Amino acid sequence: LRPSMEVFNKMMASLPETKSDASLHSYDGGDTGFLNNFYSDWYSSPNYVRLSFGYNAQRFMHHCTYEKQPSYWDYGISDLRIIHFSSSPKPWEGRDTKSGANGGEEKSEGKKYLTGSDVASIQQAKRGKLERLFDTAYEASQEYHWKQQSTAEYKAYRKMNPTYEEKKAVAKTKAKADGAKSLNRRYKELRKKGMSTKDAMETARREFD
């Protein structure tokens, strides 16, 4: 890539805000519409000037297609370089930059362009594979930052911000404990009904296996 001041100046002179004879319209009011208009012959350019899909992997497409066509993502796209978290909600929306917590109402201008089925699809896959990639990168950056602080601050940060794997481990431990409580409760119920100790335990274990 060779940046060109000449192209840059031409772009600046072509922005819709200039309202000059050279200004170009942006069909979506953003940079995508402007660039498509500025490079109006992009579709006829040779393949080597185009970035592969892995450089602009659309999160929305992943949510809508992965379940039906997983091989397209797992094998067709060899390496994801840039994930474009298009649509709403964004994985960082409502995230407190210090605590890492997701709270508050998630807001995005893009929501008004989504259908009900689109929103349902996104909500269902809200913390999917691509979101976990973002979480991993975010956690790593926060880990690095807080390690540079004092030991007390770092310990406080780690306590408030468990990683995805740590959350999974806690959830697994809780589920195991809840299962044991339910099994014990069922065992006592069966014993009250007159079942022997051995039969009550075997029955309860079968029910919660």
Side-chain angles (χ1 to χ4, degrees):
L1 294 177
R2 295 183 179 179
S4 169
M5 185 57 70
E6 181 182 353
V7 172
F8 174 75
N9 289 332
K10 187 176 179 181
M11 277 188 174
M12 295 301 290
S14 302
L15 290 174
E17 290 79 4
T18 62
K19 301 186 183 303
S20 65
D21 293 338
S23 65
L24 298 174
H25 176 68
S26 172
Y27 65 83
D28 63 352
D31 56 338
T32 300
F34 172 75
L35 290 172
N36 273 290
N37 203 349
F38 187 83
Y39 292 103
S40 58
D41 60 344
W42 64 267
Y43 59 88
S44 61
S45 302
N47 290 336
Y48 68 82
V49 304
R50 304 181 192 179
L51 292 174
S52 66
F53 187 81
Y55 283 88
N56 188 29
Q58 297 280 334
R59 185 269 299 268
F60 182 72
M61 281 189 63
H62 184 273
H63 282 178
C64 294
T65 63
Y66 185 76
E67 187 174 340
K68 294 181 179 179
Q69 297 290 340
S71 59
Y72 174 77
W73 290 86
D74 295 340
Y75 304 107
I77 302 174
S78 59
D79 195 9
L80 293 181
R81 301 283 185 172
I82 298 174
I83 300 173
H84 185 177
F85 287 100
S86 52
S87 75
S88 164
K90 311 294 187 187
W92 57 85
E93 283 183 338
R95 180 186 286 274
D96 182 278
T97 54
K98 272 200 171 184
S99 69
N102 284 321
E105 183 184 357
E106 291 169 324
K107 299 178 181 179
S108 173
E109 184 69 14
K111 281 186 177 180
K112 66 183 181 183
Y113 299 108
L114 302 178
T115 64
S117 60
D118 290 339
V119 173
S121 176
I122 293 172
Q123 291 293 341
Q124 183 178 3
K126 188 175 175 181
R127 303 313 302 172
K129 184 177 180 180
L130 298 187
E131 284 72 22
R132 288 197 294 273
L133 282 176
F134 172 84
D135 289 342
T136 299
Y138 178 83
E139 288 166 2
S141 69
Q142 292 296 293
E143 184 85 357
Y144 175 82
H145 168 74
W146 286 101
K147 273 186 176 179
Q148 313 308 309
Q149 314 307 313
S150 70
T151 303
E153 286 180 318
Y154 176 65
K155 285 183 177 179
Y157 164 76
R158 293 296 292 115
K159 185 177 181 180
M160 292 174 62
N161 296 271
T163 65
Y164 174 72
E165 292 301 325
E166 288 171 341
K167 288 177 183 177
K168 275 193 2 182
V170 170
K172 186 176 180 180
T173 301
K174 184 177 183 302
K176 188 175 180 181
D178 290 345
K181 289 179 182 177
S182 298
L183 187 149
N184 188 49
R185 186 163 51 248
R186 180 57 176 156
Y187 164 77
K188 290 180 178 179
E189 290 174 355
L190 295 172
R191 288 285 290 135
K192 285 181 179 180
K193 291 180 179 180
M195 196 174 285
S196 69
T197 301
K198 181 180 178 182
D199 291 343
M201 182 56 70
E202 288 179 350
T203 302
R205 283 176 175 169
R206 279 198 304 271
E207 291 179 3
F208 289 94
D209 188 11

